[in-house]
Amino acid sequence: MKVLVTREIPEAGLRRLEGFDVTVLSEEPPERADLLEAVRGAHGILSVLTEKIDAEVLDAAGEDLEVVANMAVGYDNIDVEAAEERGVAVTNTPGVLDETTADTAFMLLLAAARRLGEGERLIRSGNWHAWGPKQLTGPDVWGKTLGIIGFGRIGQAVAWRAKGFGMEVLYTARSRKEDAERELDAKLRDLDDLLRESDFVSIHTPLTDETHHLIGEKEFSLMKPTAVLVNTSRGPVVDEAALAEALAQKRIFAAGLDVYEEEPKVHSKFLELENVVLAPHIGSASIETRNRMAEIAAQNLRAVLEGREPENPVEG
Ligand code: NAP
Ligand code: GLV
């Protein structure tokens, strides 16, 4: 059976594909034409989030295609409905990356508050001349209020970290989380109140039609001028132009971003602003977690091709 792996993935994942006729397409994101060509006759596709797997790709693969196994928890790069219509299973890698991605969110939160990017640039430019009583001061993190938008696996892992910093946790989600409220003393708020009350806001929703530009100009106007926004979910959940404007006008204090509206493009204003910390979509990028994600994606793919239920089916 033919398996197309769209990008080079950790060896641990490839080992789980032994016995299949495996093609690894490219190290960098493949050209669309190359993807459409390479996918022909595949029984399984192991994809990553840089590849858009839509009806055109599914049709190019042809009738033998049984499964698209995404090496990511987010699956907004896959047209799940089109896959369902064609009887193609879709899988993802939930759970395994929660702690690593929560670490990344907290890293960005701390770095944006305490101006780490600016400090690093100062040293590297050779312009740091002395310790300064008023140099690079930013708001304390400990003891403040963190608002978490999207209180699922990763959002709650972030909340546990916040408890270690003595923070109060507010959250918003589609449904109430009574267990987490008890365990974390987290408090449910509607989005507007969460934005008004929080010193830090961290986004952890999937990208859907509902969450596209969930945070824009109106939402920035509700936030405290001292607030810090962190986004490790998906770029289009935040209106980037509105965020760039809010940062430039100091309507909020700072932002820490791991994801962008049109990756790998980054809004040009962000590159000029001191008060935004920029990471290149490395939320889950620990060695251990990427190995496990590759293994899980491969196991899901193998399960479908061997006629078993995959561990992590995605439903449209
Ligand atoms: P999850 O467990 O499904 O949690 C998602 C949360 O978002 C849920 O609490 C859900 O509410 C909430 N939500 C969904 N739609 C909403 C809306 N319209 N308004 C408010 N809340 C909404 O997902 P997860 O595993 O934590 O992952 C979240 C996302 O993080 C992924 O989809 C992916 O895009 C992103 N991610 C990024 C990286 C990275 O490298 N930067 C790594 C991993 C994941 P309910 O619980 O009420 O349904
Ligand atoms: C990464 O962004 C993921 O969704 O796993």
Side-chain angles (χ1 to χ4, degrees):
M1 281 179 153
K2 284 178 69 173
V3 170
L4 179 72
V5 181
T6 63
R7 298 278 302 279
E8 282 184 13
I9 61 167
E11 217 23 66
L14 292 177
R15 275 198 295 274
R16 305 266 165 142
L17 295 175
E18 273 166 19
F20 295 120
D21 173 7
V22 177
T23 302
V24 178
L25 187 51
S26 57
E27 186 183 347
E28 295 296 321
E31 294 295 332
R32 182 77 177 170
D34 294 339
L35 175 64
L36 291 171
E37 176 62 30
V39 83
R40 270 200 220 167
H43 296 82
I45 301 173
L46 195 156
S47 55
V48 304
L49 54 84
T50 50
E51 274 65 71
K52 195 172 165 60
I53 308 293
D54 56 10
E56 189 184 23
V57 173
L58 299 169
D59 288 339
E63 292 196 342
D64 288 337
L65 185 67
E66 291 182 45
V67 57
V68 178
N70 217 30
M71 190 187 131
V73 63
Y75 50 85
D76 46 282
N77 60 311
I78 299 174
D79 186 338
V80 177
E81 218 173 281
E84 268 176 6
E85 281 163 14
R86 290 161 180 76
V88 175
V90 177
T91 66
N92 67 344
T93 63
V96 65
L97 41 58
D98 300 349
E99 304 299 336
T100 305
T101 309
D103 282 349
T104 303
F106 234 84
M107 169 181 80
L108 288 170
L109 186 156
L110 288 164
R114 300 298 303 279
R115 303 171 63 178
L116 180 63
E118 282 177 78
E120 240 229 322
R121 286 190 288 279
L122 182 70
I123 291 180
R124 288 181 188 275
S125 70
N127 289 323
W128 184 46
H129 304 304
W131 180 89
K134 297 202 292 185
Q135 191 176 61
L136 289 176
T137 54
D140 266 326
V141 171
W142 69 274
K144 296 284 180 67
T145 298
L146 172 64
I148 300 180
I149 302 176
F151 208 51
R153 291 172 292 249
I154 299 170
Q156 291 183 33
V158 170
W160 280 108
R161 282 153 181 74
K163 296 315 286 178
F165 280 73
M167 299 176 91
E168 181 173 1
V169 174
L170 309 179
Y171 78 93
T172 182
R174 289 175 304 187
S175 56
R176 192 164 178 188
K177 315 287 175 202
E178 286 177 15
D179 288 350
E181 285 183 20
R182 257 192 315 278
E183 289 166 13
L184 287 154
D185 195 24
K187 296 182 179 67
L188 178 64
R189 293 284 188 275
D190 67 27
L191 180 59
D192 287 1
D193 284 342
L194 178 141
L195 294 169
R196 281 190 199 99
E197 291 176 41
S198 298
D199 300 300
F200 296 87
V201 173
S202 192
I203 308 175
H204 301 284
T205 65
L207 173 60
T208 62
D209 290 345
E210 276 174 30
T211 63
H212 184 265
H213 283 192
L214 184 69
I215 305 299
E217 195 181 339
K218 178 202 138 201
E219 287 70 29
F220 292 120
S221 73
L222 298 175
M223 289 171 72
K224 299 181 184 183
T226 49
V228 172
L229 177 79
V230 173
N231 187 12
T232 59
S233 65
R234 283 290 182 267
V237 176
V238 174
D239 178 343
E240 258 177 19
L243 173 59
E245 197 52 30
L247 289 168
Q249 302 301 324
K250 306 268 166 59
R251 275 190 264 127
I252 62 171
F253 181 77
L257 305 176
D258 186 45
V259 289
Y260 306 89
E261 280 204 58
E262 289 178 42
E263 294 177 11
K265 260 202 268 167
V266 174
H267 195 290
S268 57
K269 268 197 184 168
F270 292 157
L271 303 177
E272 295 160 15
L273 290 168
E274 288 289 3
N275 56 346
V276 57
V277 178
L278 305 170
H281 204 148
I282 52 169
S284 64
S286 73
I287 296 162
E288 296 88 341
T289 293
R290 287 289 168 82
N291 283 342
R292 282 299 293 142
M293 288 167 68
E295 284 175 346
I296 290 168
Q299 279 165 208
N300 281 326
L301 183 142
R302 177 177 285 283
V304 176
L305 294 189
E306 291 179 352
R308 292 177 283 112
E309 271 299 306
E311 279 286 307
N312 311 110
V314 161
E315 267 125 48

